[in-house]
Amino acid sequence: MSLLDIILLAVALAMDCLTVSVVSGVLKRSLPGGCIVRMAFLFGFFQALMPLIGWLGISHFQSYMEAYDHWIAFSLLAFIGGRMVWESFHPEEGQHFDPSRLRTQLLLAVATSIDALAVGISFACMGYTALSQLILPLTVIGMVSFLFSLLGYGVGSRFGGGVVSRFKPELIGGLILIFIGVRILIEHLLD
């Protein structure tokens, strides 16, 4: 893979991180800087980790990963999104979706990176036989996801005021997460 191919792959993988970060910025417009960096770091870390896991596990778990990765991503995103939708109609009954919580950030990081397992499998199929060959692609994937997450949060927090004043941001965010999960599921089922 050329460097351009790696960058394009990293940008494609980072789109879910960008979307979820925009939603987080709309919902929580004033997160502490450390919290924003932690969220971006977790998104970048898991986007880089999942291809490594896919690459490492191809010989032992390829059929299991390919058979279930889309269901796991769909389930996590549908659960989080469904909860956000429910809370948008029942704000007094539940604790609101809070992207500043470590648990929420971890769930979102895992959910948005599950589809990257397949990238690790493709690395093995493209002839990446040594861990040292993966350092550049995994670093680029992690850094692009980190930067897109920071950018997404900034866009959401800066321009999200209009959304908050006119719509229920938790409803919109929940529907977006459910849509991402359904898209992942449909793409894998149609392949």
Side-chain angles (χ1 to χ4, degrees):
M1 274 183 117
S2 71
L3 180 59
L4 179 60
D5 291 336
I6 293 169
I7 291 170
L8 292 174
L9 173 65
V11 167
L13 287 175
M15 285 300 142
D16 289 346
C17 298
L18 176 73
T19 303
V20 172
S21 296
V22 168
V23 170
S24 296
V26 169
L27 294 173
K28 288 283 191 173
R29 297 179 62 204
S30 60
L31 286 177
C35 187
I36 298 164
V37 170
R38 180 182 69 195
M39 181 173 60
F41 172 79
L42 289 171
F43 281 15
F45 176 76
F46 278 96
Q47 284 291 349
L49 178 65
M50 290 300 183
L52 177 61
I53 292 171
W55 180 80
L56 289 171
I58 187 166
S59 61
H60 302 292
F61 304 108
Q62 179 181 6
S63 62
Y64 296 115
M65 288 186 299
E66 287 178 349
Y68 299 107
D69 64 350
H70 52 284
W71 287 105
I72 294 168
F74 167 74
S75 298
L76 287 170
L77 289 168
F79 172 75
I80 295 167
R83 187 173 179 149
M84 287 174 66
V85 169
W86 186 84
E87 288 176 354
S88 73
F89 292 106
H90 304 90
E92 68 283 345
E93 295 179 26
Q95 182 179 8
H96 290 286
F97 171 80
D98 187 358
S100 67
R101 292 176 51 211
L102 177 60
R103 179 175 175 237
T104 302
Q105 290 178 354
L106 282 169
L107 282 172
L108 290 171
V110 170
T112 57
S113 65
I114 292 284
D115 60 340
L117 282 169
V119 171
I121 294 168
S122 69
F123 284 156
C125 296
M126 287 187 287
Y128 287 80
T129 57
L131 186 58
S132 61
Q133 293 174 300
L134 292 174
I135 291 173
L136 177 63
L138 296 180
T139 302
V140 170
I141 289 168
M143 291 301 300
V144 168
S145 293
F146 174 81
L147 293 172
F148 273 42
S149 298
L150 290 176
L151 174 68
Y153 179 81
V155 167
S157 64
R158 171 109 168 118
F159 301 108
V163 173
V164 172
S165 66
R166 292 186 199 123
F167 304 103
K168 293 181 175 185
E170 286 187 327
L171 174 62
I172 294 168
L175 292 174
I176 289 171
L177 292 181
I178 292 169
F179 173 77
I180 292 170
V182 169
R183 181 183 52 85
I184 289 169
L185 183 63
I186 289 171
E187 285 176 0
H188 284 281
L189 292 176
L190 293 177
D191 282 343

